[in-house]
Amino acid sequence: MSETLFSTGAGDRLGGDRLAEAVEVMARIRRDGDWESAQTHASLLPYLLEESWELVDAVADGDRDELVSELGDLLLQVLFHAAIGAERAEGSFDIQDVAAALLDKLRRRAPYWFTADGAAGVGSAHLDAAEQDRLWQVAKAAERAGCPPRGVVDGIPWDMPALALGQKVLARASSAGVPDELVPAQMRVVRVDPVGLFREHVAGGRDDGSGREDCSGGENDSGREDSPGGGDASGREDGSGRENGSGREDGTGSGSAEVAYRQVVRSFARDLREAESRLPVPATDATAADWRAAWPS
């Protein structure tokens, strides 16, 4: 039996192909369960988000059994969506299509893990993280060849948690060469207190450094992943920000740290997009001076 990409022999150890059994059981549950048969891709999203955060907790706790359990719950969501996809009148898909999409992407982005016949390569030379990321980015660029260039903040999921969203936007800005001084302090330093967020910034006071969380990131955005403008790609608003006199919402009056920081991130993203539209060259070729000259005043 040839090796597969993530083969560990666990199926033999457990006395059967548990993954295939899980797919079969999920199909039966979807067909016969009253609640399960009524679900849609959209109705399952809250459960997917909840299970994802429970997995985060399990990783933080370091409990092996809890981690396996939460991974199982997340796998259930994947199988559930695939079972729903198999019922579509047009554009149907199943778990095999999902797995094929993953393998196709890996073959495009990381072909060094595969032999010529498509089986996972064995004994490949070790690659450090920097080289892997470089090759991944080169492959992504090749895929986008001939397509309109993607904006600096295009493709970011704007409904992700505010701190994660801020880190993602900052990573994109850093990769594009946006100078540090163009990033507002409120993007980098968050002060949370019982009455809200950014109180001292608004009042013009000075922070003493207590209770701060640095959300500046530093994570390399590899794109292993809808447009800002006061909302997501559909133009939805949080409805919680206040005008700050410049015509932009800063969210400082909301009383919600999550909402207020999200508004700050979106405001910065709007400035970033506006500056990008004024650049004399593509963002990938822009210098720090280009960004400074194009930045909204």
Side-chain angles (χ1 to χ4, degrees):
M1 178 189 236
S2 62
E3 292 278 337
T4 56
L5 188 61
F6 300 112
S7 175
T8 62
D12 293 336
R13 174 171 55 82
L14 294 173
D17 188 340
R18 293 294 191 257
L19 184 57
E21 181 180 358
V23 173
E24 180 183 347
V25 171
M26 185 66 245
R28 187 165 64 251
I29 292 173
R30 170 66 177 174
R31 183 186 65 242
D32 298 336
D34 188 47
W35 181 86
E36 290 83 356
S37 62
Q39 299 311 302
T40 66
H41 291 303
S43 70
L44 288 176
L45 289 180
Y47 304 100
L48 176 62
L49 294 173
E50 181 179 351
E51 299 298 355
S52 298
W53 286 113
E54 288 179 358
L55 175 60
V56 171
D57 282 345
V59 170
D61 291 342
D63 184 289
R64 180 265 184 195
D65 291 341
E66 187 66 15
L67 179 58
V68 171
S69 175
E70 296 302 338
L71 284 169
D73 289 344
L74 203 56
L75 175 61
L76 171 64
Q77 295 299 310
V78 175
L79 297 179
F80 210 152
H81 282 279
I84 294 173
E87 301 167 357
R88 293 165 54 135
E90 295 183 5
S92 63
F93 64 90
D94 60 17
I95 193 63
Q96 295 296 333
D97 295 308
V98 174
L102 166 63
L103 291 170
D104 287 345
K105 176 174 285 189
L106 287 172
R107 286 190 180 95
R108 293 194 311 269
R109 303 274 181 90
Y112 44 84
W113 294 126
F114 297 85
T115 61
D117 64 359
V122 179
S124 301
H126 176 76
L127 292 173
D128 64 29
E131 179 63 6
Q132 282 186 290
D133 184 67
R134 186 190 71 80
L135 292 172
W136 187 276
Q137 297 297 339
V138 168
K140 280 179 58 181
E143 289 177 14
R144 291 197 298 264
C147 299
R150 188 176 72 168
V152 174
V153 294
D154 286 351
I156 292 177
W158 294 94
D159 285 333
M160 64 198 302
L163 282 176
L165 177 63
Q167 186 175 36
K168 188 81 168 178
V169 170
L170 283 171
R172 289 283 189 90
S174 177
S175 295
V178 175
D180 286 346
E181 69 267 21
L182 295 180
V183 179
Q186 290 176 332
M187 276 287 292
R188 295 193 180 279
V189 179
V190 178
R191 179 182 176 88
V192 182
D193 59 42
V195 294
L197 189 63
F198 308 140
R199 287 295 192 183
E200 290 177 323
H201 286 296
V202 174
R206 295 176 60 88
D207 288 336
D208 61 6
S210 61
R212 292 179 175 180
E213 294 185 13
D214 186 350
C215 63
S216 61
E219 172 186 332
N220 187 351
D221 174 27
S222 61
R224 302 180 192 186
E225 11 169 304
D226 283 342
S227 85
D232 63 10
S234 64
R236 294 194 306 270
E237 292 276 0
D238 280 314
S240 55
R242 288 183 176 177
E243 295 292 335
N244 62 9
S246 63
R248 293 194 294 270
E249 295 176 347
D250 60 14
T252 53
S254 70
S256 164
E258 171 76 14
V259 170
Y261 184 63
R262 182 179 299 278
Q263 293 290 359
V264 169
V265 173
R266 285 178 168 172
S267 178
F268 174 67
R270 286 195 294 272
D271 286 345
L272 181 57
R273 173 159 283 184
E274 183 177 344
E276 185 178 9
S277 71
R278 299 176 180 177
L279 290 173
V281 295
T284 52
D285 300 324
T287 65
D290 291 329
W291 281 110
R292 292 187 187 100
W295 203 258
S297 57

